[in-house]
Amino acid sequence: MDSFELKTQSGIVPIRFAYMNATWVATELARVLGVRRPRLLIVTDENVALHQLENLKSAFKAEGFGLEECILPPGEQQKTIARAKFLLDILAQKKFARDDIVLAFGGGVITDLAGFVASVYQRGIEWIAVPTTLLGMVDAAIGGKTGVNHELGKNLIGSFHQPKMVLAELSVLSTLSPREIRSGAAEIVKGALLAGGEFWREIEVAGVDAMEWSPRWFERFVARGAAVKIEIVSRDERESGERMLLNLGHTFGHALEQVTGYGTLAHGEAVFYGMRAAIRLSEKCGMMPQPKARALDKWIASLELPAAKCTADDLLTAIQSDKKTASGKLRWILLREPGKPVISHDVPDQVVRECAEWLEEIVQSGAEAVPIPRRRRVVILNGPNLNLLGTREPSVYGSMTYEELSKQCFEWADDLNFDLLIRQSNHEGEYAELIQWARRWADGLILNPGAFTHTSVAVRDALAAANLPAVEVHLSDPSSREEFRHSSLISDLCRRTIKGHGPDGYREALTELAFSLPETA
Ligand SMILES: NC(=O)c1ccc[n+]([C@@H]2O[C@H](COP(=O)([O-])OP(=O)(O)OC[C@H]3O[C@@H](n4cnc5c(N)ncnc54)[C@H](O)[C@@H]3O)[C@@H](O)[C@H]2O)c1
Ligand SMILES: [Zn+2]
């Protein structure tokens, strides 16, 4: 385990890194809290929930924490004041008190948003950052900057609110996509260029191609990348000076993200291009000797970055608008050599233009972007009382517990190469909302609405609106039971109804979807 303390005016923030599991996260927090067991609102997104949430919840339950959760759709579009209000509503409705805690479990979008919400709810409650992206671990979760976007600018609304602690558990990175890995890797390379010395030498020798998913690479460099930020922020929490160095590669990087359309290039890909630009500017301003600059550029260029459309003029316009928001003073972060960064106010316009033209050329001729394949996605939605499985009328529903059934379903889904999410609710409105939510994420649905099958027009309407291939499953055979269980309000909206086959019905439903759902790109 690597352990750091970020000392700021607002207090000390323990920041820990370990290649462990969810239990480590829960026990580390429990240890710091002593006997205190506050309620936690876990804020996460669907991708993280899919792969990591169940383990985290079990670990926190085992430590005796009361849990609430909020799973948001993934993506930068979630970083809005409207989403912040939505989370504030949950905190208020669930009566979170001043000594309860918001736990941000996700990438930078989630830590920025959840941290911001924690900073304003009841004038500020505690929050814990449990980053799940490489970028989150080395950058976004560290430093206490929280916030949301405004239509007129990124991160325009926000606050400084340090988390109570940051717990980075590296094994969660195994499910991150290669492009997201690259995004975080760019910040690590940035840190190494700022720090120089042994850190840079080791990164340089390992090579840029080593930055694919590799537990060894993570173990060697994640905490060290983060340490660069921790050191800088502890000297300049509010970005009045040195913290600006962390913008190395970001002036042109941000401009590229804006000009190519957010999401076309991953943030780190834009920053890699931006670092190449910063190195070129350093050379053209006479700070870095040409051979050194060319060697560094060649090193980064060996990473195959995707091509994107941009023009020098658009890049310059984007940089000018950045300049306006920085009260007219554009500060360039340049390098004399790795380990010797410089903040410069006066890079001649002509040099900047020449660099923008060069960038236009190299970005346009980058590699062809390869779409990232994903598995087909299925959601199983279980209705009221299914959580009691194993204890409720075993003669009708069998002795398998709900946890065992869920585990079994995950195994079946894995065999069929599906990504699976399972949700259960005892509340009709919530069940309808789960269907609405599944509509945005899933390719297919498996529904066991329990008693809602026979009564809920709301569930039927939600399913009709979802317009997803669906299979209806019942553990028992309702038609051989009481009269009131004979009708189903959803059967005609489903491809098939499987009843009376016990847990195996879920396997049959998954198999049905495996044959009928189209392959994804
Ligand atoms: N506060 C700061 O100091 C700071 C610094 C840098 C960046 N940021 C902010 O961070 C955000 C970008 O963060 P990000 O790159 O982490 O983006 P992100 O939070 O959008 O995560 C990237 C993607 O990875 C998915 N994901 C996350 N963890 C996963 C896991 N373990 N397995 C599978 N998928 C996973 C997410 O669902 C998302 O689709 C931006 O909004 C940026 O402004 C903030
Ligand atoms: Zn960045």
Side-chain angles (χ1 to χ4, degrees), residues 10 28 38 47 71 116 141 155 158 160 176 187 217 230 258 260 285 294 305 314 329 331 334 393 395 466 509 520:
S10 20
E28 281 297 307
N47 295 332
I71 304 174
F116 174 65
N155 299 323
F160 281 94
L176 207 56
E187 307 292 349
W217 199 87
I230 294 169
Q258 193 188 324
T260 54
C285 293
R294 297 289 151 98
L305 295 170
D314 288 346
K329 282 183 244 128
R331 300 174 188 94
L334 305 179
E393 301 174 74
S395 58
T520 54

Side-chain angles (χ1 to χ4, degrees), residues 84-352:
K85 158 85 167 62
F86 174 77
L87 289 173
L88 289 167
D89 288 347
I90 296 178
L91 288 169
Q93 280 156 8
K94 304 271 182 194
K95 301 195 170 23
F96 266 63
R98 275 203 60 94
D99 53 356
D100 290 328
I101 294 181
V102 173
L103 189 148
F105 185 47
V109 165
I110 293 294
T111 48
D112 273 14
L113 174 67
F116 174 65
V117 165
S119 79
V120 290
Y121 182 66
Q122 297 201 0
R123 299 195 180 82
I125 64 170
E126 287 177 337
W127 73 289
I128 310 286
V130 183
T132 62
T133 60
L134 197 52
L135 184 121
M137 291 180 187
V138 296
D139 193 353
I142 296 168
K145 275 194 195 173
T146 75
V148 295
N149 301 328
H150 185 274
E151 299 87 84
L152 297 182
K154 223 172 124 86
N155 299 323
L156 271 192
I157 305 161
S159 58
F160 281 94
H161 187 51
Q162 292 290 351
K164 185 171 174 61
M165 68 189 305
V166 180
L167 291 166
E169 197 284 290
L170 275 65
S171 80
V172 299
L173 298 173
S174 65
T175 52
L176 207 56
S177 73
R179 282 183 90 179
E180 298 300 344
I181 295 282
R182 197 180 271 180
S183 251
E187 307 292 349
I188 296 181
V189 169
K190 177 191 81 181
L193 283 171
L194 291 173
E198 196 52 29
F199 183 23
W200 164 248
R201 264 189 297 280
E202 282 185 42
I203 288 270
E204 190 181 22
V205 170
V208 258
D209 5 343
M211 281 180 266
E212 68 225 27
W213 186 75
S214 137
R216 215 178 117 49
W217 199 87
F218 295 154
E219 274 193 298
R220 275 180 75 192
F221 297 127
V222 172
R224 286 161 83 185
V228 175
K229 179 159 184 186
I230 294 169
E231 246 178 64
I232 291 179
V233 174
S234 58
R235 289 193 292 261
D236 175 21
E237 187 182 9
R238 301 271 160 154
E239 196 163 333
S240 46
E242 199 185 345
R243 191 166 175 169
M244 282 172 218
L245 292 177
L246 295 168
N247 287 331
L248 176 67
H250 281 63
T251 310
F252 268 114
H254 282 153
L256 257 179
E257 277 185 287
Q258 193 188 324
V259 167
T260 54
Y262 285 104
T264 306
L265 292 172
H267 174 71
E269 290 166 347
V271 171
F272 271 124
Y273 278 126
M275 286 193 283
R276 291 183 67 184
I279 289 163
R280 192 172 178 92
L281 285 180
S282 307
E283 178 204 323
K284 297 288 170 194
C285 293
M287 283 191 192
M288 189 186 285
Q290 197 188 64
K292 181 85 209 163
R294 297 289 151 98
L296 264 180
D297 184 60
K298 200 167 158 214
W299 186 86
I300 300 180
S302 66
L303 189 65
E304 280 210 344
L305 295 170
K309 284 203 167 59
C310 66
T311 66
D313 284 339
D314 288 346
L315 286 171
L316 291 169
T317 310
I319 285 172
Q320 283 309 320
S321 75
D322 236 22
K323 186 171 160 181
K324 280 199 196 97
T325 48
S327 22
K329 282 183 244 128
L330 193 62
R331 300 174 188 94
W332 292 97
I333 313 302
L334 305 179
L335 280 178
R336 290 190 191 283
E337 61 178 91
K340 293 205 176 135
V342 181
I343 301 176
S344 168
H345 297 278
D346 37 33
V347 177
D349 287 350
Q350 187 45 38
V351 174
V352 176

Side-chain angles (χ1 to χ4, degrees), residues 381 427-440 445 447 449 452 456-470 489-490 493-494:
L381 295 181
H427 306 281
E428 185 177 355
E430 191 173 63
Y431 195 85
E433 274 174 9
L434 284 170
I435 298 176
Q436 292 177 11
W437 158 79
R439 169 191 184 189
R440 284 186 278 103
L445 263 181
L447 296 131
F452 298 150
S456 177
V457 178
V459 167
R460 180 194 163 78
D461 287 350
L463 183 58
N467 197 20
L468 278 175
L489 293 180
I490 62 162
L493 299 174
C494 295

